[in-house]
Amino acid sequence: MSAPRVLVVEHENGTGPAQVGERLTARGLDLVIRRPWAGDLLPLTPDDYDGLLVLGGSMGPYDEEQAPWLSAAGDLLRQAVARDMPTLGICLGMELLTVACGGTVRHSERPEVGLCELTPLLPASRDELFAPLTKGTPPCAVQWHWEETAVLPEGAVPLLTSARCAHQAYRMGTSVWGVQFHPEVLADDIAGWGTSDVGPLRALGLDPSSVVAHVAAEEERLRALWGSFAERWGDIVTARRTAPVRP
């Protein structure tokens, strides 16, 4: 039997799957990365894949003039929900999931950048992907967002929250998850983001190098926590594969 295939939608240079991709590949999954920002076309349906991973980017979910492929990415997410296909939307990916399923996204009054503590909600303790995060020390994750989900889609199950952002993670159906934070990144991954976002970070009273250094200091913890998270999601993709078996 061939390896489970995951369609990865990358919205911008420097925003790849990083450690999530590394863990999935090591788990035996085949990542098919589409980069519409570089001219790749997105498929009309996710039918040829076993999982869908939609990554982040500096644009917002309504910025189709800047990124005209966003509606196509939203269509894929909507179809994934209808099929209950294993899906993970990260940051912009979660925001696109929200909009695609009838929720709303707004500009955050208090953007989150850098490390942030997350608070599991009661449904997380019964969630296949998030349950391990409800035990022991509250999880922390890297944040880098100026937009946030204001109204969840109908039927969404909230899983995580934080002091500044009510909706940090939620689930649709049994197999579709969105996370506002970035489980895929470590210090080296965000170093370039700090360089390109110097102005916005300074406006928030943040020093880019200090943000990167703070993440670097927690790198071992982040690698273990979110690496395991990625592996669990990969195992769900493998267990629930629905795409046709390929030679």
Side-chain angles (χ1 to χ4, degrees), residues 18-28 223-224 226-228 230-231:
Q19 77 153 344
V20 165
E22 293 168 4
R23 294 298 184 106
L24 294 177
T25 299
R27 217 70 170 173
R223 189 185 299 277
W226 300 114
S228 295
E231 290 174 350

Side-chain angles (χ1 to χ4, degrees), residues 42-236:
L42 295 180
L44 296 177
T45 77
D47 291 349
D48 290 333
Y49 301 91
D50 305 296
L52 175 62
L53 174 61
V54 182
L55 300 169
S58 61
M59 64 287 291
Y62 304 112
D63 292 339
E64 292 188 23
E65 187 170 318
Q66 176 186 350
W69 61 84
L70 293 181
S71 61
D75 286 343
L76 288 170
L77 286 162
R78 193 179 302 109
Q79 292 178 65
V81 171
R83 291 163 171 74
D84 205 22
M85 170 183 286
T87 297
L88 180 61
I90 294 175
C91 199
L92 174 60
M94 170 173 154
E95 294 160 11
L96 288 168
L97 176 65
T98 296
V99 173
C101 295
T104 59
V105 171
R106 68 184 174 199
H107 192 73
S108 176
E109 295 181 359
R110 297 190 298 166
E112 292 178 306
V113 178
L115 281 182
C116 174
E117 184 174 295
L118 305 171
T119 301
L121 301 171
L122 182 60
S125 65
R126 301 185 295 271
D127 185 83
E128 184 175 7
L129 182 58
F130 281 86
L133 301 179
T134 65
K135 302 174 176 66
T137 305
C140 70
V142 177
Q143 305 279 0
W144 207 285
H145 67 97
W146 278 257
E147 311 291 326
E148 65 181 10
T149 291
V151 179
L152 289 172
E154 184 176 354
V157 178
L159 299 170
L160 296 178
T161 188
S162 72
R164 290 191 178 188
C165 180
H167 306 301
Q168 284 287 352
Y170 67 83
R171 188 187 72 245
M172 300 288 293
T174 68
S175 304
V176 178
W177 291 273
V179 298
Q180 187 62 71
F181 53 93
H182 286 276
E184 82 280 20
V185 299
L186 298 169
D188 286 347
D189 302 302
I190 65 169
W193 301 359
T195 300
S196 62
D197 286 345
V198 170
L201 292 181
R202 299 282 189 200
L204 295 175
L206 297 172
D207 172 62
S209 60
S210 296
V211 172
V212 174
H214 193 195
V215 172
E218 295 291 332
E219 188 136 315
E220 184 176 347
R221 178 183 175 191
L222 293 170
R223 189 185 299 277
L225 183 67
W226 300 114
S228 295
F229 174 86
E231 290 174 350
R232 285 196 301 279
W233 186 76
D235 290 346
I236 292 168

